[in-house]
Amino acid sequence: MELKENSHQLLATLFADIQGYTALMQNNEELGVRLVEEFKTTLTREVEDHGGRVIQFYGDAIMAVFPSSVDAVSAAEVAQKAFNSAGDIPVRIGINCGDVLYREGNIFGDSVNIASRIESMGVPGSVLLSKEVEGHIKNKQNLITKSLGVFEFKNVNEGIEVFALTSPGITRPLPTQLKGKFKRGFQVKEEKTPEQLKLERNRKIAKVALPLGSTIVLMIVVAFLVGGGATKWILLGAVPIFLTMIGRIISIQLYDDPDALKKEAAKDKLDEKKRQRQEKRQAKIDSRNAKRAKKGKVERVKPAPPPIA
């Protein structure tokens, strides 16, 4: 694959590395060296066989480019299946497609940075792709993908939707395993199980059905007990308000958080203690200032020095 010096090109960039390589070298240097050699040999062969080009090796990592996303993903799939079948080379791969600048044997650009970020959030045995790459391969029936969601990476302005290759022999990461180079404060959304979705549905039903049902029943009871007159209508007007509150409490206890009310009470108690401590502290400060004022030891503010002409 030929690349023109100082030229911008639309290429698919592939990053791959061996996860936990530093610890592996510390525990078994001979095994670490052997795995790196197998890692480099396998990926170099697959990159070249799929029309790509290795740009650089970084110890236990590799960066390569391809003329098309299909070639990049196909190479990654074959290589990752080989690593997974071997069972002792924990490789993660990330791929992005975009404009890159080739200069002095290296490539530069936002597309390269995004590919590196996507690779960093992978797990051993996985192949992760950007939305751009997924759009190029979605019509290829042998390349199956699954969206993992939108992620906010460091030094990347906009969120990036990331897809996992889910072909047989390829590992799909769980949401709890995704720990990449994200922006501060960004949290990975957990994938909800069918049981969690069912519980959420029950919560919504409870929040409506419990207050409504209890209101109707007690309104009937009150209307039966109260014979008539203005008192009846006043009670009937007040009952829905109180029963809605009661139903809401019941629904929280049953479906939201059984300890919600206890937590709220504990929080109020903690806030009250904080307020009391602040009041005592302020009272001590006021008392100390008053004593100083009586003794004439009032703090004086030094005048500011005259401006320099």
Side-chain angles (χ1 to χ4, degrees):
M1 177 182 176
E2 295 295 329
L3 297 173
K4 295 182 180 179
E5 184 69 16
N6 293 323
S7 65
H8 286 269
Q9 300 180 56
L10 184 65
L11 299 172
T13 304
L14 179 150
F15 271 90
D17 79 340
I18 301 176
Q19 190 176 45
Y21 178 71
T22 302
L24 178 62
M25 285 292 289
Q26 290 176 349
N27 295 329
N28 191 332
E29 184 176 346
E30 183 178 349
L31 175 61
V33 172
R34 180 178 66 81
L35 293 185
V36 166
E37 291 301 321
E38 292 181 16
F39 168 76
K40 290 181 177 179
T41 300
T42 301
L43 272 172
T44 300
R45 180 183 68 244
E46 297 306 329
V47 168
E48 293 177 352
D49 287 350
H50 289 82
R53 175 172 173 175
V54 175
I55 299 297
Q56 278 190 0
F57 285 107
Y58 305 91
D60 65 324
I62 183 176
M63 178 172 66
V65 293
F66 296 81
S68 78
S69 296
V70 175
D71 292 331
V73 177
S74 298
E77 181 186 29
V78 175
Q80 196 63 285
K81 285 182 178 180
F83 296 136
N84 288 344
S85 63
D88 58 353
I89 309 180
V91 177
R92 54 188 184 184
I93 299 176
I95 306 173
N96 183 46
C97 184
D99 182 78
V100 301
L101 170 64
Y102 179 74
R103 177 182 294 169
E104 297 179 355
N106 205 348
I107 57 174
F108 306 89
D110 290 339
S111 178
V112 179
N113 182 39
I114 292 172
S116 173
R117 294 290 187 257
I118 291 174
E119 180 269 333
S120 72
M121 66 179 281
V123 298
S126 67
V127 177
L128 304 187
L129 325 168
S130 67
K131 184 172 179 59
E132 286 73 17
V133 175
E134 192 274 338
H136 295 158
I137 69 168
K138 63 183 179 181
N139 293 327
K140 304 297 179 182
Q141 295 183 354
N142 60 318
L143 299 176
I144 307 168
T145 62
K146 175 72 174 180
S147 177
L148 298 177
V150 177
F151 300 85
E152 297 179 5
F153 297 102
K154 290 181 180 178
N155 303 323
V156 179
N157 293 331
E158 298 180 355
I160 304 293
E161 186 174 8
V162 177
F163 292 78
L165 191 66
T166 59
S167 304
I170 304 297
T171 302
R172 178 194 168 193
L174 298 173
T176 53
Q177 296 176 305
L178 302 175
K179 305 182 184 299
K181 298 176 181 178
F182 304 126
K183 288 181 179 179
R184 181 178 297 178
F186 175 78
Q187 294 183 346
V188 178
K189 294 182 180 179
E190 295 186 5
E191 187 174 356
K192 296 178 181 178
T193 63
E195 290 76 14
Q196 290 174 322
L197 294 174
K198 182 179 179 180
L199 181 59
E200 284 190 358
R201 185 171 62 251
N202 290 341
R203 287 173 179 171
K204 292 178 180 178
I205 294 172
K207 289 176 182 179
V208 176
L210 287 176
L212 183 60
S214 58
T215 299
I216 292 173
V217 171
L218 290 182
M219 280 180 67
I220 294 173
V221 173
V222 171
F224 178 78
L225 294 177
V226 180
T231 306
K232 172 182 178 179
W233 298 109
I234 293 172
L235 288 174
L236 288 179
V239 164
I241 298 174
F242 290 108
L243 295 186
T244 300
M245 294 173 61
I246 294 171
R248 176 61 178 146
I249 292 172
I250 295 172
S251 66
I252 289 175
Q253 290 282 13
L254 291 178
Y255 294 102
D256 281 343
D257 183 356
D259 299 323
L261 299 180
K262 294 179 182 178
K263 290 178 181 177
E264 192 65 27
K267 181 178 178 297
D268 292 341
K269 190 174 181 181
L270 182 62
D271 292 342
E272 179 62 21
K273 287 183 178 179
K274 276 186 180 179
R275 186 185 64 79
Q276 291 176 356
R277 285 198 299 268
Q278 290 175 351
E279 288 179 353
K280 289 181 180 180
R281 192 180 299 115
Q282 187 61 43
K284 289 181 180 179
I285 294 172
D286 293 341
S287 177
R288 186 165 55 248
N289 289 339
K291 290 179 181 179
R292 288 179 178 177
K294 286 182 181 180
K295 294 179 180 180
K297 295 181 179 181
V298 179
E299 185 178 356
R300 300 180 183 276
V301 180
K302 296 181 179 179
I308 300 174

